[in-house]
Amino acid sequence: MARPSRQMTLDAPRGRTGMLGRSPQPSQDRFGRFSEAFARGMGTSSFLIGMTVFVVVWLAWNTLLPPQYQFDPRAQNFTLLTLILSLQASYAAPLILLAQNRQDDRDRVQIEQDRQRAERNLADTEYLAREVVALRMAMTELTGEVLSRDALRQELKALLEQLDARADQQADASS
């Protein structure tokens, strides 16, 4: 007996076969983007000011208030504050390094693209230089004299004007 085919519905993503189907995989780049945002945020003056205010308030609270209100007393050398700052540093350093590695990869790709573009520009320039030399040689053969740069420009302008005149004539004829 043949199985009935499932109809596609608009309320279910394509490729899902029901509750036991695979769920979509999270983007592999999501953590990298998070690390870049984290590193970018830690490098701002507002983060440094906020962190300074946090530490000053923490120290003032645990130094100036009566002992029953202190949660990280000075007598214990602010152990909790030290633990929190160490934990932040232990997570911040690898995230910043990951963000730097991603930036290095992007820079490497950009440098390669720039190199390829420069090679294409050089090849185009060399081609055009060869074409100009070929034009000079052809004009020398036609006229029997060596052409100067100004003479070549005048000849090219004359040819361009002739081409424009032909294009105008063809446009008038087709209208």
Side-chain angles (χ1 to χ4, degrees):
M1 183 168 169
R3 288 179 66 186
S5 63
R6 285 184 54 111
Q7 289 183 344
M8 290 200 47
T9 61
L10 295 176
D11 62 342
R14 264 189 260 163
R16 294 281 303 257
T17 59
M19 295 291 281
L20 298 177
R22 286 182 44 162
S23 62
Q25 295 295 318
S27 170
Q28 294 179 359
D29 202 37
R30 188 177 297 160
F31 189 73
R33 287 192 309 268
F34 167 76
S35 68
E36 286 178 342
F38 182 84
R40 214 175 296 118
M42 286 191 72
T44 62
S45 58
S46 60
F47 174 80
L48 294 174
I49 291 169
M51 194 63 172
T52 302
V53 168
F54 172 77
V55 170
V56 167
V57 167
W58 185 289
L59 293 175
W61 181 282
N62 289 296
T63 302
L64 302 176
L65 285 168
Q68 67 265 21
Y69 295 116
Q70 295 177 5
F71 54 86
D72 189 20
R74 181 178 180 187
Q76 294 178 358
N77 295 323
F78 304 109
T79 307
L80 186 58
L81 177 63
T82 304
L83 178 66
I84 290 172
L85 293 177
S86 297
L87 183 65
Q88 178 198 12
S90 68
Y91 277 99
L95 289 173
I96 290 170
L97 288 174
L98 179 61
Q100 286 176 341
N101 289 341
R102 286 173 49 87
Q103 184 62 45
D104 288 343
D105 291 343
R106 278 195 300 273
D107 290 345
R108 197 173 303 113
V109 167
Q110 183 65 40
I111 287 169
E112 179 62 24
Q113 289 173 348
D114 289 345
R115 186 189 62 75
Q116 290 172 354
R117 190 175 306 116
E119 285 178 358
R120 284 192 306 268
N121 288 342
L122 180 62
D124 290 346
T125 303
E126 289 174 349
Y127 171 76
L128 291 173
R130 286 191 303 272
E131 289 297 314
V132 168
V133 168
L135 282 173
R136 277 191 175 172
M137 290 173 59
M139 294 300 285
T140 302
E141 289 177 13
L142 289 175
T143 61
E145 61 186 48
V146 177
L147 286 176
S148 67
R149 181 182 304 168
D150 294 332
L152 179 62
R153 283 184 182 156
Q154 289 174 355
E155 289 292 326
L156 290 174
K157 283 181 185 178
L159 289 172
L160 184 59
E161 288 172 2
Q162 288 175 1
L163 289 173
D164 287 341
R166 282 186 192 169
D168 290 341
Q169 288 174 357
Q170 289 177 354
D172 290 341
S174 64
S175 328

